[in-house]
Amino acid sequence: MALELRVINTIEAVDADAWDACAAGHPFVQHAFLKALETSGALGADRGVLPRHILLMDATHGLVACAPAMLKWGTLREYGPEVHWLRAGLDAGFFKWPKFQVGVPFFPVTGRKLLVRRGFAETPLRAALIKGLLQLGQRAEQQSVLNILHIDNATARLCQGQGALVAGERHSMWTNTGFNDWADYVAQLHKRKRYQLHKERRQAEAHGLAFRVLKSFELTDEILTDYYEGHRRVCERYGGTPWLPAPIYEAIARLMPLDALLMGYFDGARFVAGNLQLCAAAEQTLYILQASEMTKLDSMQLDLICYRPIEYALEHGIGKLDSGLVAKHKQHRGWQSAPVYHAHWFFNDELKALAQQHLN
């Protein structure tokens, strides 16, 4: 198959249906989500991230494979092992911005990154995407590395076969291993964890708030404004600031009306605490995003992050939950730790040797 490699600087330069035929229902690489990042101001030169999406076209100019890619520079807000070799490379003078990477900007979510249109052979086209990415990376003199972030084991093995140095980290996951419902799940917990669950649920419900699950199209401007403010307060509580601008959540709600939902506690119509989630129906997976809490309340976030998503998943036939980076409070409440991988190709031998010390 004769293939043409193209690079686009905005997701709007490619037909949404053609791109989504490759995305296979994964919400974070859908055309609408990438468009939400662009139109909300989350991406841009002032944000240190510029889209450089990769397209593979066949002889009829149809899209057969693609990858969400970007040029990134000026920030060490990285996930997992990347931050260590980045910092060392900058200090030693072996690494200079920008960094060429494939993944979802600002979201450390596991899933498809080398996307192939349904009905086409995946392995050769994913290999062709890697080859094209490497050619682009090597062609640009200022780029010293190519990363593909947050991939599964099969993709990591494919990348390793193409000369990548593979490293990993662990994320918090929950998988339904045969539970019929919430009561069935709670009954099988160790008595200590079962006691802890009941205690923390009582504490969360003692605040007298109503728990609700809202779809994207039910989210008003007022709720989204309060959600962002609550997220800002959570970040501030731990000495940080939000990574994303406020309009991103309105853009997700508007562009993805059936893919996003908000689990939260409300005082009447007023939002108090919750988290936004994206659903991958084809994968039966729910992805849990940033926590938000207008006022710190006992056990509220533990209930919203650790328990409510599992209960919702069991009620709606969702088999898997992904809450991103691993954390002890999740592991202590029934969540598992699962490996996630990153692939690296270094175009600078000195940087490669330095990175190997950290990645190994």
Side-chain angles (χ1 to χ4, degrees):
M1 181 190 301
L3 298 172
E4 178 190 354
L5 180 70
R6 296 182 187 176
V7 182
I8 56 174
N9 298 336
T10 169
I11 194 64
E12 296 192 72
V14 62
D15 177 74
D17 290 338
W19 179 279
D20 287 343
C22 300
H26 192 288
F28 290 93
V29 292
Q30 284 185 37
H31 192 279
F33 185 81
L34 298 172
K35 181 178 178 180
L37 289 173
E38 290 188 23
T39 58
S40 67
L43 308 184
D46 60 328
R47 301 280 298 171
V49 180
L50 288 177
R52 291 293 185 269
H53 303 306
I54 310 303
L55 313 178
L56 279 183
M57 319 297 291
D58 66 11
T60 66
H61 303 291
L63 182 65
V64 295
C66 53
M70 72 203 84
L71 291 177
K72 184 175 181 296
W73 68 92
T75 175
L76 289 177
R77 281 182 161 179
E78 291 285 342
Y79 304 104
E82 270 56 54
V83 66
H84 303 297
W85 67 257
L86 271 173
R87 184 177 289 116
L90 286 167
D91 290 345
F94 298 151
F95 173 76
K96 293 182 179 180
W97 303 105
K99 182 156 78 82
F100 186 32
Q101 69 184 46
V102 175
V104 183
F106 307 111
F107 289 89
V109 291
T110 312
R112 292 171 171 265
K113 302 298 188 304
L114 303 174
L115 314 177
V116 176
R117 190 180 184 92
R118 290 186 294 270
F120 287 80
E122 282 206 2
T123 300
L125 284 173
R126 293 168 87 195
L129 279 171
I130 293 172
K131 181 180 178 181
L133 287 162
L134 288 171
Q135 289 174 346
L136 291 170
Q138 291 166 335
R139 191 181 305 161
E141 292 182 4
Q142 76 273 23
Q143 291 166 18
S144 52
V145 63
L146 164 66
N147 278 156
I148 304 181
L149 302 180
H150 305 109
I151 52 180
D152 59 20
N153 183 267
T155 306
R157 289 200 306 270
L158 175 65
C159 293
Q160 200 166 34
Q162 298 286 331
L165 180 63
V166 172
E169 59 180 336
R170 302 192 75 83
H171 281 196
S172 291
M173 307 279 190
W174 178 88
T175 302
N176 186 354
T177 55
F179 309 116
N180 295 315
D181 52 28
W182 175 246
D184 187 25
Y185 169 72
V186 173
Q188 62 77 43
L189 290 173
H190 185 276
K191 63 180 181 180
R192 180 181 60 80
K193 289 186 177 180
R194 193 162 58 245
Y195 170 80
Q196 183 180 43
L197 183 156
H198 290 311
K199 176 185 176 182
E200 289 169 343
R201 175 60 63 85
R202 286 195 303 269
Q203 289 174 336
E205 292 180 340
H207 300 296
L209 303 172
F211 176 76
R212 297 164 62 191
V213 178
L214 302 179
K215 294 287 188 179
S216 289
F217 57 84
E218 299 176 288
L219 299 177
T220 64
D221 291 344
E222 183 179 4
I223 290 174
L224 290 168
T225 298
D226 287 345
Y227 175 83
Y228 188 81
E229 174 58 22
H231 174 55
R232 187 195 65 77
R233 294 181 186 184
V234 170
C235 292
E236 189 176 70
R237 191 182 305 157
Y238 295 99
T241 57
W243 292 26
L244 296 162
I248 182 62
Y249 300 110
E250 186 277 331
I252 290 173
R254 175 172 50 84
L255 294 169
M256 307 180 74
L258 302 178
D259 297 300
L261 59 87
L262 176 69
M263 286 187 192
Y265 277 98
F266 290 78
D267 182 2
R270 185 177 65 87
F271 171 83
V272 177
N275 53 59
L276 194 66
Q277 307 182 18
L278 289 183
C279 184
E283 301 173 358
Q284 291 190 318
T285 301
L286 199 63
Y287 295 87
I288 302 168
L289 306 185
Q290 291 91 346
S292 171
E293 195 172 44
M294 296 292 282
T295 303
K296 183 170 173 55
L297 300 170
D298 287 345
S299 296
M300 186 66 68
Q301 281 302 322
L302 291 174
D303 190 41
L304 286 166
I305 294 173
C306 299
Y307 302 136
R308 290 292 184 178
I310 295 176
E311 189 171 5
Y312 181 88
L314 289 165
E315 289 175 356
H316 293 82
I318 296 170
K320 183 178 178 182
L321 302 171
D322 183 340
S323 69
L325 302 179
V326 73
K328 289 183 179 180
H329 68 273
K330 300 173 192 174
Q331 312 311 118
H332 292 163
R333 291 166 176 81
W335 289 68
Q336 298 89 39
S337 169
V340 177
Y341 301 94
H342 309 268
H344 312 74
W345 289 267
F346 295 96
F347 309 132
N348 176 308
D349 290 338
E350 293 171 313
L351 178 61
K352 181 178 180 180
L354 182 64
Q356 283 180 309
Q357 299 175 26
H358 295 275
L359 294 173
N360 287 341

